[in-house]
Amino acid sequence: MAGSMNIKKISKSQKLFRLSLWILVLVVLLFVGVLLLNLTQSAKIKHLENKIERKESQLEQDESSNGYKKFLAVKSLESKTSWLFWYERIEKISEILDDLRNIDEEDLESTIELSDFNVSLEELSVRGVVSSLKDLYYTNASWKIKAVLDRFESLDFIGKMTIKKYQKVDGWFEFVLYANIINNDWK
């Protein structure tokens, strides 16, 4: 019986040894699997990094090419250019000119003459002559006096108006008025 007990103890230790061996094999296989997975992921990452570098290099070449610069210039022009047919532009500019010409007819008390109208769909300039600076700047509603600047400002398409300088010539004050066109609903 003593010999049979010894055999059972050996078989238990053999089972424990086999179980330990299997666990060790599984741990080694798991470690090798993780190592292989890590290596394949590193290879994929390296491949993608190389691909990104090639694409960035190609992008730099494309951005420095004349074709790309022309493309950017055209895009810039498209954003700034109004898309009216030539006859529609002429009609709109004619409307603006008519409104400007009517300014010097509003007040018969003062002497105002406007000339040299330069009008585009973005800006305008007008040369003018007034008999006194009061005609240019002074408004009095009770006397029905309206300054030239206020008359221009009342036009719905005028914005950022300036008179950079004026000068006195033979008792008259000459000036050039510059203004931006702001009613860009035709663009």
Side-chain angles (χ1 to χ4, degrees), residues 82 84 92-97 99-100 118-126 152 155-161 177-187:
S82 48
L84 281 178
K92 189 62 185 173
I93 290 173
S94 178
E95 288 173 25
I96 292 171
L97 279 171
D99 288 344
L100 293 175
N118 293 315
V119 180
S120 73
L121 293 179
E122 289 82 28
E123 59 191 5
L124 65 88
S125 69
V126 177
F152 273 94
L155 298 173
D156 63 345
F157 54 84
I158 296 292
K160 193 177 176 194
M161 184 173 44
L177 182 134
Y178 301 92
N180 291 339
I181 305 293
I182 59 171
N183 190 1
N184 292 332
D185 58 352
W186 53 81
K187 281 189 176 187

Side-chain angles (χ1 to χ4, degrees), residues 41-54:
Q41 292 297 325
S42 293
K44 285 180 183 179
I45 290 172
K46 188 66 176 170
H47 172 72
L48 291 174
E49 285 174 346
N50 289 338
K51 191 174 183 179
I52 289 171
E53 285 178 22
R54 285 193 307 272

Side-chain angles (χ1 to χ4, degrees), residues 58-131:
Q58 182 65 39
L59 181 62
E60 286 176 12
Q61 288 176 353
D62 291 344
E63 285 177 343
S64 65
S65 73
N66 285 337
Y68 183 71
K69 290 176 184 173
K70 288 178 184 176
F71 169 76
L72 288 178
V74 167
K75 291 301 266 182
S76 174
L77 280 175
E78 284 177 350
S79 68
K80 295 177 184 173
T81 304
S82 48
W83 294 101
L84 281 178
F85 294 110
W86 64 271
Y87 61 87
E88 290 173 336
R89 284 178 181 259
I90 290 172
E91 287 175 7
K92 189 62 185 173
I93 290 173
S94 178
E95 288 173 25
I96 292 171
L97 279 171
D98 288 342
D99 288 344
L100 293 175
R101 285 190 182 117
N102 291 332
I103 284 180
D104 61 357
E105 297 171 1
E106 286 181 14
D107 187 6
L108 300 175
E109 295 294 318
S110 62
T111 307
I112 303 167
E113 292 180 19
L114 300 175
S115 63
D116 299 341
F117 296 93
N118 293 315
V119 180
S120 73
L121 293 179
E122 289 82 28
E123 59 191 5
L124 65 88
S125 69
V126 177
R127 183 172 301 280
V129 176
V130 291
S131 57

